[in-house]
């Protein structure tokens, strides 16, 4: 990508006293953001304020295309940038990354944002949540969206925690799938390289997937998915199918169907070389 000037931005009425352009391009953990210089320095004494007001462009790290580089969570940085624009925070109704966002706020030295995200204790000594909506499937009717730091919404964790006895009453289906590969040499008995699972995917209702797999569920490909909706983009943080089966069995699911497809290819053009088998398999689990 061609850049307009050495400051990795587009000159658009920038303050002549600043060595930075008015428009700044950032690479945050591989995600590209374009914003104004005034946005980055909106909060005095923050990390970004120090970077873009106390330093010169040559002192900051760049990527291969000249963008200013920050080795942080690229997905969560959009909430940091939104906050800097008007010092207000708007969150999705269900936001599972709140603790990670608080960590990002602390890193960027945004103290007010960090305090806003910090869990607090209610009068009955239970943890309250001012940002995230309840983890339960049915949101509270009295819940109101948070628009600024003066607006609060408290929900007791006790009312939102997953209870196996209660959740077991909810029937539904979860499909677990994986793409695997293995190699068979000319001598099958000695050269077989057994199943290699790259990733285990989880499809089904969001609330059921979270109930069964909890913190082992990776939601990065489908963040902010409401609990009553369905998804096919979750996957597990481990690669052992039996571990996934044990969790499903623990929560009352049993397998009702499975299917698989496979292909065979040689690792090279020589037919005497090892054969590589690849497959995609799905297992359907049900809880009545």
């Amino acid at each position: 990508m061609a850049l307009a000037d050495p400051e990795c931005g587009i000159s658009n009425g920038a303050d002549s006293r600043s060595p930075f352009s008015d428009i700044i391009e950032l690479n945050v953990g591989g995600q590209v953001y374009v914003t104004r210089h005034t946005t980055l320095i909106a909060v005095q004494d923050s990390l970004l304020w120090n970077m873009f007001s106390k330093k010169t462009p040559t002192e900051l790290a760049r990527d291969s295309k000249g963008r200013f580089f920050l080795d942080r969570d690229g997905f969560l940085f959009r909430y940091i940038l939104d906050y800097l624009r008007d010092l207000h925070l708007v969150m999705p109704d269900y936001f599972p990354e709140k603790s990670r966002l608080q960590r990002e706020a602390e890193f960027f030295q945004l103290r007010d944002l960090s305090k806003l995200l910090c869990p607090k204790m209610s009068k009955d000594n239970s943890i309250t949540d001012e940002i995230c909506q309840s983890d339960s499937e049915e949101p509270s009717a009295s819940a109101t969206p948070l628009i600024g730091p003066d607006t609060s919404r408290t929900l007791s964790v006790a009312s939102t925690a997953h209870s196996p006895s209660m959740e077991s009453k909810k029937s539904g289906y979860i499909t677990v799938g994986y793409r695997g590969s293995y190699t068979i040499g000319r001598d099958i008995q000695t050269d077989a390289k057994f199943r290699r699972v790259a990733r285990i995917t989880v499809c089904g209702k969001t609330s059921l997937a979270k109930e069964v797999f909890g913190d082992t569920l990776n939601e990065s490909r489908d963040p902010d998915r409401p609990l009553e909706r369905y998804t096919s983009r979750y996957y597990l943080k481990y690669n052992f199918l039996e571990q996934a089966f044990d969790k499903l069995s623990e929560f009352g699911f049993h397998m009702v169907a499975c299917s698989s497809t496979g292909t065979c290819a040689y690792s090279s053009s020589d037919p005497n070389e090892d054969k590589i088998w690849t497959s995609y398999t799905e297992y359907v689990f049900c809880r009545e």
Side-chain angles (χ1 to χ4, degrees):
M1 180 184 66
L3 302 178
D5 56 44
E7 283 74 34
C8 187
I10 303 170
S11 179
N12 186 18
D15 188 345
S16 59
R17 295 170 295 179
S18 172
F20 293 94
S21 298
D22 183 44
I23 305 299
I24 303 291
E25 292 185 64
L26 304 171
N27 176 347
V28 184
Q31 298 287 328
V32 177
Y33 290 89
V34 181
T35 187
R36 289 189 176 275
H37 178 254
T38 52
T39 299
L40 297 175
I41 61 173
V43 177
Q44 190 170 359
D45 295 325
S46 67
L47 178 68
L48 292 172
W49 182 85
N50 280 292
M51 288 176 60
F52 291 95
S53 65
K54 295 298 184 180
K55 296 185 178 181
T56 63
T58 56
E59 296 179 87
L60 302 180
R62 307 280 192 116
D63 66 8
S64 60
K65 295 187 177 181
R67 306 183 187 98
F68 296 110
F69 179 74
L70 291 165
D71 189 16
R72 301 301 298 179
D73 190 310
F75 168 75
L76 294 176
F77 187 73
R78 64 172 175 167
Y79 297 104
I80 299 293
L81 204 56
D82 281 346
Y83 176 77
L84 291 174
R85 288 184 176 118
D86 53 17
L87 301 185
H88 283 71
L89 183 64
V90 178
M91 305 292 293
D93 287 337
Y94 180 78
F95 188 69
E97 306 287 352
K98 178 191 167 186
S99 61
R100 294 178 60 190
L101 180 57
Q102 183 190 2
R103 184 177 64 186
E104 294 300 298
E106 292 174 352
F107 174 82
F108 286 106
Q109 299 170 19
L110 298 170
R111 297 175 181 83
D112 289 342
L113 178 58
S114 179
K115 291 177 181 178
L116 187 64
L117 293 165
C118 182
K120 297 181 179 178
M121 300 298 292
S122 65
K123 292 181 179 179
D124 60 357
N125 291 326
S126 62
I127 298 176
T128 62
D129 194 337
E130 294 187 348
I131 298 292
C132 297
Q133 184 152 329
S134 168
D135 286 349
S136 62
E137 186 166 354
E138 296 298 332
S140 171
S142 62
T144 56
L146 178 65
I147 302 300
D150 295 332
T151 307
S152 64
R153 176 177 62 199
T154 59
L155 296 170
S156 173
V157 167
S159 65
T160 65
H162 294 301
S163 170
S165 61
M166 295 177 59
E167 293 288 336
S168 62
K169 297 180 181 179
K170 298 178 182 177
S171 61
Y173 291 84
I174 290 180
T175 300
V176 175
Y178 79 94
R179 296 187 184 277
S181 65
Y182 59 94
T183 303
I184 297 181
R186 298 179 66 181
D187 185 349
I188 295 179
Q189 298 301 321
T190 60
D191 294 336
K193 298 176 182 178
F194 294 101
R195 181 187 68 199
R196 182 178 69 84
V197 178
R199 177 177 292 177
I200 300 175
T201 60
V202 176
C203 311
K205 196 170 187 178
T206 301
S207 59
L208 289 179
K210 290 178 182 294
E211 173 199 345
V212 173
F213 297 109
D215 293 338
T216 64
L217 198 66
N218 192 318
E219 307 169 38
S220 61
R221 297 174 60 200
D222 196 9
D224 308 334
R225 172 67 64 170
L227 292 175
E228 70 276 6
R229 302 290 295 277
Y230 290 81
T231 181
S232 61
R233 297 177 62 82
Y234 288 166
Y235 61 93
L236 300 179
K237 297 178 181 179
Y238 51 81
N239 296 331
F240 298 100
L241 281 169
E242 292 75 15
Q243 187 175 352
F245 294 166
D246 286 345
K247 293 296 292 183
L248 287 159
S249 176
E250 178 184 341
F251 281 84
F253 285 83
H254 61 277
M255 189 186 302
V256 294
C258 67
S259 64
S260 182
T261 60
T263 59
C264 175
Y266 291 100
S267 58
S268 71
S269 58
D270 185 353
N272 294 321
E273 292 294 326
D274 294 348
K275 293 180 180 179
I276 299 177
W277 291 83
T278 60
S279 64
Y280 178 72
T281 306
E282 286 187 339
Y283 303 91
V284 181
F285 288 80
C286 175
R287 184 168 67 187
E288 302 291 347

